[in-house]
Amino acid sequence: MATIASTAGGRTAAATTTRGRRPSGERNALLGWSAANLVIIAISLVPLLWLVSLSFKTPDSITDGKFIPRHWTFENYRGIFGESLFTRALLNSLGIALISTVLAVVLGSMAAYAIARLAFPGKGLLVGLALLIAMFPQISLVSPLFNLWRQIGIFDTWIGLIIPYLTFSLPLAIYTLSAFFREIPWDLEKAAQVDGATPLQAFLRVIAPLAAPGMVTTAILVFIFCWNDFLFAISLTSTERSRTVPAAIAFFTGASQFAQPIGSIAAAAVVITIPIIIFVLLFQRRIVAGLTSGAVKG
Amino acid sequence: MTAVSGEEHGAERPSEGQGRGAVRSGSEPETQPEAPTNAGAVTNAGTTTNAGAPTNAATNAATSAPPNDPTPVTNGAAPVKRRRAPLSAGARAERRLGWALCAPAVIVILAVTAYPIGYAIYLSLRRYDLRFPDDSKFVGLANYGTVLTSSLWWQALAVTAIITVISVAIQFALGMTLALVMHRALVGRGLVRTVILIPYGIVTVVAAFGWRYAWTPDTGYLSHLFGDATPLSSQVWGIAVIILAEVWKTTPFMALLLLAGLALVPEELLRAAKVDGATAWQRLTRIMLPLMKPAILVALLFRVLDAFRIFDSIYVLTAGAYDTRSVSILGYDNLFTALNLGVGSSLSVLIFLVVALVAFIFVKGFGTAAPGGEGRR
């Protein structure tokens, strides 16, 4: 509370002094910032808006190069939702990303709690390991995993994708969560332990509820990561049984039954982008906090 | 953060904590406590103190245990420990819990990285063509010879390096500008911060399709602007578009990390410098950038290694045609187009070694200030 108030106060004070000193420059400064903002917003959004525009165009006007479609149509959307190639991929994407997210947050919370709170040898090693994995080139795993998964029979299954997703999202989860866990008022945990709770009970009853915001943030970041993955999705799957949307979209072009793959690809792209954008807009503050936690605070 | 709490606990428990609290507080304040480079003694000691505290009650209860109780099962496995007093029962329980809590994560991580990399090394020493799986046999380093004498590998490596260096340099400059805009903006800072997250959230493949259509005559607006240009069918311009897509997608991430770093720069310092007549540029280069060094290094390290893995955008934009292959694309092609698991695996191993080398140079070159951050892409 106090921090919020003081920051806000400081900001206002700074703003008023600037304005007070140079009243004539105020309008120019505002205009300048607004222009800068507009440029940033336009650059961020235009490639996406172009896909939206393409997705609403009819097959014969798709190449007209107009930003606003002349003839609006929902045909592309109807087309992709009528095809199991896409609907099945959507289901795969959702299922795989959700399961991976839940697992990553659960396992990550356990490890992050230990890192933030408990003394045990090997902790530094663990943190270093997580860091290493975060930088690991995924392509290096593709050939061995491809072969292994075929041998143990989980090639082209959900679990075959969930496992590598889990591996690569765990470092992210551990770092973000342990940064959040350090902010928790630990006196409460101590109090619980004085009252006779075991460390595990203290974790489940006291810390977990306090840690929920951090866990939500982590879940969002992990979900975005899994939703985004392409390399594993095209390498470790071969049919629509487990192919996720990014992979399916890439294969629209080659093996498409649609008249106009461009329209279908654009529509599919818009469909899988909408949920993420809603996520991002709703949880903007959390995502920023999550992305920058740990990086600076250490 | 941890440093402070470690000290507090140390003060509470003079018997065990003091010496280690001192080790901790003695380290330079800028050092990231979790940095892997100094992860050994310092961190471990600090956290030992740290964690002693919550089990106060347990430790007191344990004083009845014989003081020379032969300590831990695990003593041999923990060379970094310099513990003078024998472990109390509480501390031992805590250790076990710590390991138990970390075990699942560690197992998953190792099962899918360490083992496959070992397996990749094994495969890379064999002739293994997926079309003739029965004809597999040990061939020593022949696959590496094939790769290292192939111009494709060196070209892919060069393309990847060019994409990495140029895109990270642009991202840094743009990200810094964006961070300053967000830090200083009089209006709409919240709006900008929200909007720049959109590229971060968009699936890379989707963004790449957006750029591909934009740069294709007929479907594209950018292509029209440049007189129906077809940049995706030439090497240089293809790479330029790939860099553009990469910059667009990941600059927000860079900007956010740098913005968080900017928050560490004390406002008074900048004001004082301004009073002393420092220009805006001087304030940026002499005050802000040096103070932001840790944040900058973390951001650069992650962006460099992430850019080095570039795959998705190239796959969609050019599919590696016109000599725009990155090493990841080359590895993928070898596995799924050439179906050569042996050569593909030796590529995997080589890429891994290059990345490890880059990371090593980064961490060595920039010392302990390097990564305390987290991995993302």
Side-chain angles (χ1 to χ4, degrees), chain A residues 63-75:
Chain A
T63 55
D64 64 1
K66 294 264 193 306
F67 209 94
I68 313 280
R70 277 179 307 169
H71 312 287
W72 290 75
T73 175
F74 284 96
E75 204 43 55

Side-chain angles (χ1 to χ4, degrees), chain A residues 186-199 201-203 205-207, chain B residues 54:
Chain A
W186 293 104
D187 292 346
L188 289 180
E189 189 198 37
K190 250 183 271 174
Q193 287 184 336
V194 168
D195 288 348
T198 65
Q201 281 172 325
F203 172 66
R205 303 273 171 80
V206 181
I207 297 311

Side-chain angles (χ1 to χ4, degrees), chain B residues 301-322:
Chain B
L301 176 66
F302 281 112
R303 285 306 319 142
V304 163
L305 293 175
D306 195 28
F308 197 84
R309 306 187 273 210
I310 186 167
F311 178 84
D312 306 11
S313 353
I314 302 184
Y315 185 94
V316 171
L317 283 169
T318 65
Y322 308 103

Side-chain angles (χ1 to χ4, degrees), chain A residues 37 43-44 50 63 119 121 126 136 140 143 147 163 167 172 175-176 182 193 225 228 276 284 291 293 296 298, chain B residues 32 34 54 94 99 106 112 119 187 192 194 201 204 218-219 248 256 264 305 309 348 372-377:
Chain A
N37 291 347
I43 292 175
S44 303
W50 184 251
T63 55
L126 179 71
F136 205 91
S140 289
S143 6
N147 215 33
I163 293 174
T167 301
L172 179 86
Y175 268 103
T176 316
R182 285 196 201 104
Q193 287 184 336
F225 167 75
N228 192 16
I276 294 294
Q284 182 251 117
L291 281 177
S293 68
V296 183
Chain B
Q32 307 272 357
E34 304 289 2
E94 191 174 298
W99 280 324
V106 172
V112 187
Y119 187 56
V187 282
V192 171
T194 306
T204 317
D218 292 352
T219 56
W248 179 81
L256 288 174
L264 299 180
L305 293 175
R309 306 187 273 210
S348 296
E374 75 290 80
R376 358 219 89 101
R377 54 207 51 116

Side-chain angles (χ1 to χ4, degrees), chain A residues 11-86:
Chain A
R11 196 179 296 161
T12 335
T16 36
T17 42
T18 326
R19 280 168 203 178
R21 245 177 254 152
R22 288 178 299 168
S24 56
E26 180 197 348
R27 172 170 285 176
N28 283 340
L30 272 179
L31 274 178
W33 285 121
S34 307
N37 291 347
L38 278 180
V39 170
I40 293 168
I41 291 167
I43 292 175
S44 303
L45 288 179
V46 164
L48 186 68
L49 291 178
W50 184 251
L51 279 177
V52 174
S53 149
L54 282 179
S55 73
F56 283 113
K57 285 182 179 176
T58 54
D60 40 311
S61 67
I62 206 151
T63 55
D64 64 1
K66 294 264 193 306
F67 209 94
I68 313 280
R70 277 179 307 169
H71 312 287
W72 290 75
T73 175
F74 284 96
E75 204 43 55
N76 295 316
Y77 290 94
R78 223 170 286 141
I80 56 170
F81 277 108
E83 278 298 329
S84 70
L85 184 66
F86 180 73

Side-chain angles (χ1 to χ4, degrees), chain A residues 64-272:
Chain A
D64 64 1
K66 294 264 193 306
F67 209 94
I68 313 280
R70 277 179 307 169
H71 312 287
W72 290 75
T73 175
F74 284 96
E75 204 43 55
N76 295 316
Y77 290 94
R78 223 170 286 141
I80 56 170
F81 277 108
E83 278 298 329
S84 70
L85 184 66
F86 180 73
T87 49
R88 178 66 214 207
L90 201 57
L91 183 70
N92 290 336
S93 262
L94 273 176
I96 291 172
L98 284 177
I99 295 174
S100 311
T101 305
V102 170
L103 288 176
V105 170
V106 170
L107 297 186
S109 301
M110 287 159 60
Y113 174 82
I115 287 174
R117 285 309 292 161
L118 302 177
F120 59 99
K123 179 148 75 173
L125 197 70
L126 179 71
V127 174
L129 178 76
L131 197 76
L132 259 180
I133 301 304
M135 302 167 185
F136 205 91
Q138 282 117 329
I139 186 73
S140 289
L141 294 182
V142 164
S143 6
L145 284 185
F146 173 72
N147 215 33
L148 274 175
W149 275 194
R150 284 186 316 143
Q151 280 166 8
I152 59 177
I154 58 170
F155 180 73
D156 196 23
T157 59
W158 278 24
I159 188 81
L161 279 182
I162 290 172
I163 293 174
Y165 287 178
L166 195 53
T167 301
F168 279 96
S169 51
L170 268 176
L172 179 86
I174 291 175
Y175 268 103
T176 316
L177 282 167
S178 52
F180 274 101
F181 283 3
R182 285 196 201 104
E183 309 280 316
I184 291 173
W186 293 104
D187 292 346
L188 289 180
E189 189 198 37
K190 250 183 271 174
Q193 287 184 336
V194 168
D195 288 348
T198 65
L200 186 65
Q201 281 172 325
F203 172 66
L204 292 177
R205 303 273 171 80
V206 181
I207 297 311
L210 282 173
M215 290 163 96
V216 172
T217 305
T218 310
I220 295 170
L221 295 178
V222 170
F223 186 87
I224 289 179
F225 167 75
C226 299
W227 191 253
N228 192 16
D229 174 79
F230 181 61
L231 180 54
F232 287 123
I234 58 169
S235 306
L236 301 178
T237 65
S238 59
T239 64
E240 60 184 58
R241 192 151 70 104
S242 62
R243 192 171 273 159
T244 59
V245 181
I249 290 181
F251 288 114
F252 272 6
T253 2
S256 173
Q257 299 109 326
F258 311 116
Q260 281 290 334
I262 295 177
S264 305
I265 289 173
V270 170
V271 169
I272 65 164

Side-chain angles (χ1 to χ4, degrees), chain B residues 7-20:
Chain B
E7 266 188 286
E8 274 168 16
H9 295 316
E12 274 173 76
R13 295 174 43 84
S15 60
E16 270 201 23
Q18 241 164 14
R20 289 163 191 125

